[in-house]
Amino acid sequence: MKILCVLYDNPKKGMPKKYPLSKLPVIKKYPNGQTLPTPKGRDFKPGTLLGSVSGELGLRKFLEKNGHELVVTSDKDGKGCRADRELRDADIVISQPFWPYYLTREKMESAPNLKFAITAGIGSDHVDLQAAMDHNIDVYEVTYCNSRSVAEHIVMMIISLVRDYHNQHAIVNRGGWNIADAVHRSYDVEGMHVGTVAAGRIGLDALRKMKPFDVHLHYFDKHRLPKSVEKELNLRFHSSVESLVKVCDVVTINCPLHPETENLFDKKMISKMKKGAYIVNTARGKICNKQAIAAALKSGQLSGYAGDVWFPQPAPNDHIWRKMPHHGMTPHTSGTSLSAQTRYADGVREILECIFSRKQVRKEYTIVRNGELAGTGKHSYTKGNATGGSKEAAKYKRR
Ligand code: NAD
């Protein structure tokens, strides 16, 4: 088989010769009892850069030994890019949410052999899921591999936004020491109302991690959590996003991007939020309307916005979120810490081993199978396509 793997660029100065830590902590299983990926083998050192082009997700030896062809590239956008050329006779495409290869209907239709799309991470919205269903292309992702990594990033961003860390750090970097400038937008989170839109693997973990800060916790999800969890976290369920945003000082967004959630936080929804609230969105950029977010930060309707997800990705150099006031944005990094890379590389290998030996891929890794949403896809997504507008990614110029 021919496997096309689209990964992010190597570090500008080349692959690291050494890493800060020589070993990763051992994690036995995820909180709901799900096991970590269990591939039959591993040809990489845990804790190294596996997600960039030269890391190749540690797959080359395994694939070539089994007679497959592996093509790895980061050239994924714009007419004539290498990924589009290689896709034409590929059987499997592997891509990442951090540097997404937008697998639109048009691209799928250019690839008659294509049978599988695998996400090295979580969130398969960069694949036109409707077209995948129509063309019988199975879609898999490595559910849970980086959910807890993202929850850590969410806590970091909530605390740093509310305390106004970015401003204070910038003052130090400029050689300054004006304390009043440093604290005139700085609060404690203690006592605040913090709510999540979606309490799946990430949303629930973020709630659990925020609990020790003595905040009031809220959530909205299509699937209600067990009563025991609501009781344990003293968690208030809301029956709509509107009801949640009306009372929360901090809203974190943790649902997948699909037709139901695209543009969910538009001008109207933001106007229903508590004045001066904060948003942390590590789910997907397209869930928030980019102009409405920037305008709300300017007017004071929002006090801060942070996250690591943009649309499209890479974000064009002039994307409005790069320059809006009171933002704490990072590039799409929360789910690709060195710790997470090990888990998603193992997970991709497990999925490939199943495909090659015609064994069923785990239900929790399944998004689309046999032309239908299935497994996690059935639980967390709706039919349709969310890749519209992705051609804009070609506007990004590497710096
Ligand atoms: P999950 O499948 O465990 O949870 C998703 C939850 O969203 C489910 O509980 C589902 O019921 C809920 N949901 C779906 N549609 C909804 C809607 N319209 N309204 C309310 N709730 C809705 O997935 P997860 O591991 O928690 O990940 C969630 C999303 O986070 C991913 O799909 C991905 O987009 C994003 N993510 C981002 C990164 C990153 O690096 N920034 C990494 C992993 C995942």
Side-chain angles (χ1 to χ4, degrees):
M1 287 198 192
K2 175 173 174 181
I3 295 110
L4 167 65
C5 186
V6 182
L7 299 177
Y8 49 78
D9 288 323
N10 285 341
K12 280 189 184 170
K13 291 186 176 161
M15 291 296 272
K17 301 250 178 316
K18 54 181 188 180
Y19 292 85
L21 304 180
S22 55
K23 268 195 181 151
L24 294 179
V26 177
I27 295 166
K28 295 256 165 63
K29 57 179 185 208
Y30 300 118
N32 69 354
Q34 184 183 315
T35 56
L36 271 77
T38 48
K40 292 204 173 69
R42 181 194 261 173
D43 298 310
F44 60 79
K45 187 170 180 314
T48 56
L49 256 183
L50 301 161
S52 70
V53 172
S54 292
E56 300 183 322
L57 298 176
L59 289 173
R60 185 166 297 278
K61 199 169 155 194
F62 159 68
L63 290 175
E64 291 184 348
K65 207 171 78 189
N66 287 286
H68 303 291
E69 181 191 356
L70 174 67
V71 173
V72 184
T73 182
S74 66
D75 181 21
K76 70 175 187 76
D77 295 306
K79 231 179 152 55
C81 65
R82 176 143 186 237
D84 285 2
R85 284 183 274 121
E86 299 285 357
L87 180 69
R88 283 183 211 134
D89 58 347
D91 301 280
I92 300 178
V93 60
I94 303 170
S95 175
Q96 302 160 302
F98 324 104
W99 185 257
Y101 180 45
Y102 292 103
L103 200 52
T104 58
R105 182 177 290 272
E106 192 188 347
K107 291 188 190 198
M108 272 180 216
E109 289 175 357
S110 76
N113 299 345
L114 191 64
K115 283 280 165 290
F116 303 98
I118 302 173
T119 302
I122 303 173
S124 298
D125 50 277
H126 59 281
V127 178
D128 178 339
L129 295 179
Q130 190 57 55
M133 288 183 252
D134 297 345
H135 289 286
N136 231 341
I137 294 170
D138 291 349
V139 182
Y140 300 113
E141 61 184 45
V142 192
T143 308
Y144 235 142
C145 66
N146 57 17
S147 299
R148 305 197 84 197
S149 325
V150 178
E152 288 188 11
H153 210 79
I154 292 168
V155 174
M156 172 183 88
M157 287 186 151
I158 292 177
I159 307 294
S160 57
L161 264 192
V162 172
R163 301 200 63 84
D164 207 26
Y165 165 76
H166 310 86
N167 167 39
Q168 298 168 12
H169 188 58
I171 288 173
V172 169
N173 285 344
R174 286 197 301 266
W177 193 269
N178 188 307
I179 302 290
D181 276 346
V183 299
H184 76 291
R185 296 180 62 87
S186 181
Y187 298 95
D188 299 345
V189 288
E190 183 179 358
M192 285 190 169
H193 288 258
V194 177
T196 176
V197 175
R201 293 170 179 83
I202 297 176
L204 177 58
D205 200 41
L207 290 168
R208 282 195 203 284
K209 286 177 161 57
M210 285 306 295
K211 174 85 176 145
F213 287 95
D214 287 329
V215 292
H216 306 277
L217 297 173
H218 303 252
Y219 82 105
F220 163 71
D221 196 300
K222 296 202 297 187
H223 303 280
R224 195 157 176 179
L225 291 165
K227 284 264 174 301
S228 56
V229 176
E230 291 185 2
K231 198 165 163 219
E232 169 207 336
L233 298 174
N234 194 15
L235 185 55
R236 182 170 153 207
F237 171 73
H238 293 260
S239 55
S240 68
V241 183
E242 286 82 356
S243 157
L244 177 132
V245 300
K246 234 165 54 188
V247 298
C248 284
D249 304 286
V250 179
V251 174
T252 161
I253 303 172
N254 296 300
C255 48
L257 169 64
H258 54 107
E260 255 178 31
T261 60
E262 185 168 343
N263 210 32
L264 179 63
F265 280 77
D266 57 1
K267 190 174 168 193
K268 197 165 158 211
M269 181 66 78
I270 295 169
S271 74
K272 292 179 181 163
M273 296 181 72
K274 231 170 147 174
K275 180 151 175 21
Y278 301 82
I279 294 180
V280 171
N281 174 17
T282 50
R284 284 297 178 260
K286 235 186 180 188
I287 298 170
C288 292
N289 181 290
K290 62 181 177 188
Q291 303 294 348
I293 294 288
L297 288 169
K298 215 166 157 196
S299 73
Q301 174 60 14
L302 287 178
S303 292
Y305 181 92
D308 66 331
V309 285
W310 310 64
F311 188 80
Q313 288 184 185
N317 310 71
D318 63 352
H319 193 293
I320 192 166
W321 288 0
R322 290 182 188 268
K323 288 278 160 62
M324 63 190 179
H326 314 305
H327 82 79
M329 297 297 296
T330 61
H332 195 160
T333 53
S334 66
T336 188
S337 59
L338 293 168
S339 327
Q341 289 178 46
T342 294
R343 292 188 293 269
Y344 68 64
D346 274 343
V348 169
R349 175 143 171 188
E350 179 187 323
I351 292 169
L352 288 170
E353 286 175 358
C354 289
I355 291 173
F356 298 151
S357 59
R358 295 175 196 279
K359 273 204 343 233
Q360 193 150 331
V361 175
R362 291 187 200 204
K363 202 170 145 203
E364 63 259 33
Y365 290 174
T366 305
I367 303 301
V368 171
R369 193 175 143 78
N370 295 334
E372 289 295 334
L373 289 172
T376 294
K378 196 166 174 192
H379 181 89
S380 295
Y381 290 77
T382 47
K383 288 183 177 178
N385 168 34
T387 63
S390 53
K391 278 191 180 151
E392 288 263 302
K395 285 191 181 163
Y396 171 76
K397 298 280 167 280
R398 284 177 168 81
R399 287 187 178 168

